[in-house]
Amino acid sequence: MKPQTANRTGRRAFLKSGAAAAIAGFWANDTLAAATQFVNTNSRPSDLKITDLRVAVVTGAPFTSAIIRLDTNQDIYGLGEVRDGASKNYALMLKSRLLGENPCNVDKIFRKIKQFGFHGRQGGGVSGVEMALWDLAGKAYGVPVYQMLGGKFRDSIRIYTDTTESKDIKEYARRMKERMDRGFTFLKMDLGYQLVQDTAGTVSQPKGLTSQELERTPHMFTSIELTDKGIAMMADYVAAVREAVGMEIPLAADHFGHIGVNYCIRLGRALEKYNMAWLEDMIPWQYSELLKKITDTIAVPTLTGEDIYLKESFLELCRNHVVAKIQPDLATAGGILETKKIGDLAQEYGVPMAMHFAGTPVSMMANVQCAAATQNLIALEYHSTDVPWWDDLAEGVDKPIVNRGFVKVPERPGLGISLNEKTVKQHLGEPGFFEPTRQWDKARSNDRLWS
Ligand SMILES: [Mg+2]
């Protein structure tokens, strides 16, 4: 990796100059320091050019994420990250459109490449590159990203922790309590019908439905429905968790399984007394009329957004109040600035924003920078509570990164993070640590969207 040391050529030239000598002789030392504080020692932003895009794929964090590095013609580089579970090729295919561009023109480049993203993981390449552009712009000008977004609303970001389920109801409650004891102030539990389906009389579904069929079939087309007994048993899991953690701490739920709309409503009603923070993605976000029907029928907040690319779909969701709360994943939504725009537009409609996140500390800090600068934030998700080496991937930030349920907003330029190469190399999901990618240098298509 290129050294991240500041380019001090400008400062040296200044100090060697006669003008500097005259100033030094005339002023006291601290006055000299004041005179040089505006000399940019990181780079010459107007001459900055992207020269390369390389990738290192990390696995087990707990998911697989491609960290990308944008190199430049100066001694700075930018870090970004493709959405968890997405192909690194979503970023690499953009390389030919980035070479020679000045990364400080973040919005110009974003508008050039955004046609190559889409919903879900397909938004991962554009979003990852956008993070790396901001990292470079911040390093070039010597400021943290949040400052370029208009400044910060908060110095630390509230985290909510995801929790994987256990069929053992006591064990599940213990896991949730343990997270609260570690200082988390906001919790989420997975609540799939799979928790109860081994018990007779809980779930009706067509015999022989394979897991592959289920995976690819949206909820309302599976014919999977819950019985009263099944709904009561699922509610028992929430009751046990509430008993362990109390009623005061916000508690959200996700991953209900592919059940139909009417049974989402019945389950939602059964959960009303547990004061849920939100019920997440009960059905796919594209079926907005059906989602609105659930939202309008149950007295529990609904939420969606982690698979939506760009602000336009969020605008429709918020304007029509299809859900009570939104949750973009910055690594799908289009990156840092697009996610801030989503938060700001949601705020106009009275809709609060949580942030979905499931990556490495690189993407975490992109989220933290955006969260610092966006007023209507609820909390940022964190999936790596049980990954012991997750913090070790990063250098240059306060550790533990997630401390008693909060992440401090870094003050270093750019995203405010660098990589620990040794740890990254220990957790590569495929061979290669920022290897050359010359096969992606040339564009082979006419990208214009009109004739
Ligand atoms: Mg989710």
Side-chain angles (χ1 to χ4, degrees):
M1 187 178 289
K2 282 188 180 181
Q4 192 65 7
T5 52
N7 179 348
R8 292 190 166 79
T9 311
R11 176 185 282 177
R12 275 200 300 272
F14 177 77
L15 291 175
K16 280 181 187 169
S17 72
I23 290 168
F26 185 74
W27 286 340
N29 281 346
D30 53 348
T31 312
L32 176 62
T36 57
Q37 70 177 313
F38 300 114
V39 177
N40 185 340
T41 57
N42 294 301
S43 80
R44 298 172 305 285
S46 58
D47 297 329
L48 194 60
K49 295 268 183 291
I50 297 169
T51 57
D52 207 349
L53 187 162
R54 298 188 179 197
V55 183
V57 178
V58 169
T59 195
F63 306 112
T64 299
S65 305
I67 297 172
I68 64 172
R69 197 184 78 197
L70 288 182
D71 293 337
T72 67
N73 58 342
Q74 298 172 27
D75 284 343
I76 55 174
Y77 60 83
L79 294 174
E81 183 176 321
V82 180
R83 170 86 188 263
D84 64 283
S87 168
K88 64 183 179 182
N89 291 350
Y90 290 134
L92 286 166
M93 64 176 280
L94 304 172
K95 181 182 178 185
S96 61
R97 285 90 179 179
L98 301 172
L99 295 178
E101 292 279 3
N102 184 330
C104 298
N105 299 323
V106 178
D107 199 16
K108 177 194 163 203
I109 298 173
F110 174 71
R111 289 171 199 234
K112 179 180 181 182
I113 62 175
K114 75 175 185 179
Q115 63 175 296
F116 300 106
F118 198 63
H119 302 301
R121 265 57 183 183
Q122 294 178 60
V126 173
S127 305
V129 165
E130 200 260 10
M131 294 176 207
L133 296 173
W134 278 115
D135 193 27
L136 274 168
K139 286 170 177 167
Y141 285 99
V143 290
V145 174
Y146 75 76
Q147 190 59 62
M148 293 182 284
L149 300 174
K152 60 185 173 180
F153 289 92
R154 49 192 74 85
D155 297 322
S156 61
I157 306 303
R158 186 185 305 280
I159 297 298
Y160 81 87
T161 178
D162 175 81
T163 313
T164 50
E165 57 199 17
S166 168
K167 285 184 180 175
D168 180 339
I169 198 164
K170 283 192 183 146
E171 164 61 14
Y172 203 171
R174 189 203 62 76
R175 271 185 210 174
M176 299 294 291
K177 176 73 165 52
E178 191 255 337
R179 276 155 160 63
M180 198 174 83
D181 291 344
R182 284 165 72 166
F184 287 102
T185 62
F186 206 117
L187 302 172
K188 188 165 93 179
M189 61 187 293
D190 290 348
L191 189 65
Y193 72 84
Q194 296 84 351
L195 283 171
V196 302
Q197 69 173 343
D198 294 343
T199 303
T202 56
V203 180
S204 62
Q205 58 182 310
K207 236 182 179 155
L209 202 60
T210 66
S211 54
Q212 287 96 329
E213 278 176 292
L214 253 184
E215 171 111 339
R216 299 288 165 202
T217 308
H219 305 44
M220 59 288 293
F221 306 119
T222 61
S223 300
I224 296 175
E225 313 295 6
L226 302 171
T227 66
D228 286 349
K229 183 178 177 184
I231 288 170
M233 280 184 69
M234 286 175 73
D236 284 346
Y237 278 90
V238 181
V241 169
R242 271 299 187 205
E243 201 177 312
V245 303
M247 288 298 284
E248 292 83 10
I249 189 167
L251 172 65
D254 191 12
H255 294 292
F256 301 96
H258 292 195
I259 56 178
V261 172
N262 289 323
Y263 292 88
C264 289
I265 290 171
R266 291 177 63 184
L267 177 61
R269 283 181 172 152
L271 299 180
E272 283 175 1
K273 62 182 170 185
Y274 300 111
N275 209 33
M276 307 302 287
W278 68 72
L279 305 183
E280 180 169 334
D281 285 323
M282 292 202 96
I283 59 170
W285 66 271
Q286 291 92 339
Y287 299 96
S288 56
E289 288 179 14
L290 295 174
L291 200 45
K292 183 170 170 53
K293 182 179 171 186
I294 297 172
T295 301
D296 290 346
T297 310
I298 64 175
V300 186
T302 54
L303 171 145
T304 193
E306 68 183 64
D307 296 311
I308 301 177
Y309 181 58
L310 302 181
K311 63 184 183 306
E312 285 74 14
S313 299
F314 284 101
L315 181 59
E316 289 307 305
L317 287 179
C318 294
R319 184 157 43 202
N320 297 313
H321 293 279
V322 170
V323 283
K325 303 177 182 182
I326 57 165
Q327 180 176 243
D329 187 310
L330 186 146
T332 278
I336 294 171
L337 180 58
E338 191 75 356
T339 304
K340 173 172 166 52
K341 288 181 180 177
I342 290 164
D344 288 347
L345 75 83
Q347 190 171 3
E348 298 291 324
Y349 292 99
V351 177
M353 178 175 82
M355 296 173 79
H356 183 267
F357 159 71
T360 80
V362 173
S363 183
M364 161 70 92
M365 286 307 156
N367 277 275
V368 165
Q369 296 287 344
C370 178
T374 309
Q375 191 174 18
N376 68 336
L377 175 82
I378 303 170
L380 167 64
E381 188 167 20
Y382 181 52
H383 270 271
S384 305
T385 308
D386 305 315
V387 181
W389 47 268
W390 191 84
D391 270 20
D392 300 336
L393 292 167
E395 284 180 350
V397 287
D398 288 4
K399 307 269 185 81
I401 295 175
V402 178
N403 189 2
R404 304 292 297 168
F406 286 85
V407 177
K408 197 170 163 214
V409 179
E411 296 296 333
R412 289 174 62 203
L415 298 182
I417 193 169
S418 47
L419 289 175
N420 178 331
E421 293 188 11
K422 191 169 161 234
T423 308
V424 173
K425 285 176 181 170
Q426 283 168 350
H427 298 281
L428 290 176
E430 53 185 78
F433 177 80
F434 298 120
E435 299 298 320
T437 55
R438 282 186 285 275
Q439 67 273 32
W440 296 92
D441 283 0
K442 284 206 173 107
R444 302 175 185 87
S445 71
N446 181 0
D447 300 334
R448 207 171 63 175
L449 294 179
W450 70 93
S451 291

